[in-house]
Amino acid sequence: MSDSAPPIPFLATVGLACERDRRLLFDQLELHLQPGDMLQVAGPNGSGKTSLLRLLAGLMPPTEGSVLLAGKPLAAQRTELARSLLWIGHAAGIKGLLSAEENLAWLGALNRCGSTSREAIWTALAEVGLRGFEDVPCHTLSAGQQRRVALARLYLAPPPLWILDEPFTALDKAGVAQVEIHLARHCEQGGMVVFTTHHSLTEKARNFRELDLGLRAA
């Protein structure tokens, strides 16, 4: 019998609570993520799914409780968080006047994660089905193609923790299947994914679990 302490979670919450517009969405939320974990945050509209993802990504402060990165408060680990996290929100988050290549180079430099070489960017765009669209201004692309530009960041040697809000939005069936496989593969290789979606997954990582905020309504 081993007396060794359990490993410190890569990301964890302690007594986490979130209030929006004077309404408590959830409280006393405890979760932890270790390498290999895939966590789907579910629940009805207004249950706090996006708010929770933003809390985990350090984009907003909690009403109560804390988020810990490697056992230390997130607020004190901004540099480490920037190296560890890839955030893609519900909106594509790209600039319409820039080309697909320019957007990925800009985002990579801004977030200090992943490779931003032209070869790596073109390879990533090819992975998401945008070969030949590298120099096309993004405002001329369809909503699905713009989402693919954003998701190409997942192929640019990204950091271990991915927090994704509705990553399958505007994708066709083939695009959804490809992203599902890529997310599962990332987890099987020791990465972590936290995401929201109204889509039922076909491909899941072995360490997949679901957190239904609708069952925790305050």
Side-chain angles (χ1 to χ4, degrees):
M1 180 175 179
S2 175
D3 294 327
S4 60
I8 296 174
F10 185 90
L11 190 72
T13 66
V14 179
L16 196 66
C18 179
E19 180 180 303
R20 298 297 299 272
D21 300 323
R22 298 186 179 181
R23 184 169 71 90
L24 189 62
L25 301 178
F26 53 81
D27 68 348
Q28 295 301 312
L29 180 62
E30 309 272 339
L31 64 83
H32 66 273
L33 284 175
Q34 296 282 17
D37 286 348
M38 174 184 278
L39 176 65
Q40 179 179 352
V41 180
N45 292 339
S47 60
K49 299 186 298 295
T50 294
S51 293
L52 175 57
L53 264 58
R54 291 179 63 83
L55 287 168
L56 296 178
L59 298 176
M60 57 184 281
T63 303
E64 292 181 4
S66 58
V67 180
L68 305 177
L69 180 66
K72 299 178 182 178
L74 202 62
Q77 302 230 74
R78 293 297 178 183
T79 301
E80 184 60 31
L81 179 64
R83 287 197 294 259
S84 302
L85 170 68
L86 174 60
W87 157 266
I88 299 179
H90 187 268
I94 59 177
K95 294 184 177 294
L97 293 179
L98 298 182
S99 69
E101 178 184 349
E102 290 169 337
N103 264 290
L104 292 177
W106 172 72
L107 287 167
L110 178 67
N111 296 307
R112 294 176 293 175
C113 63
S115 174
T116 55
S117 71
R118 164 168 275 198
E119 181 181 3
I121 289 172
W122 282 38
T123 298
L125 289 170
E127 289 283 356
V128 296
L130 290 178
R131 183 186 301 275
F133 289 86
E134 297 88 354
D135 299 322
V136 176
C138 285
H139 71 85
T140 67
L141 301 178
S142 69
Q145 288 171 325
Q146 291 184 25
R147 171 57 64 172
R148 287 172 183 263
V149 173
L151 293 174
R153 296 169 63 195
L154 303 178
Y155 294 85
L156 288 173
L161 175 61
W162 300 354
I163 299 182
L164 313 173
D165 195 3
E166 298 288 350
F168 305 108
T169 298
L171 294 182
D172 58 21
K173 187 177 294 186
V176 168
Q178 180 185 15
V179 172
E180 280 193 13
I181 292 171
H182 193 60
L183 298 186
R185 181 181 298 128
H186 178 65
C187 293
E188 299 303 338
Q189 293 174 345
M192 293 152 283
V193 178
V194 183
F195 68 102
T196 65
T197 183
H198 294 288
H199 162 74
S200 296
L201 268 66
T202 300
E203 296 286 338
K204 299 177 180 177
R206 282 176 292 181
N207 291 345
F208 171 87
R209 66 186 189 275
E210 181 178 295
L211 171 64
D212 191 338
L213 293 180
L215 301 177
R216 300 183 55 91

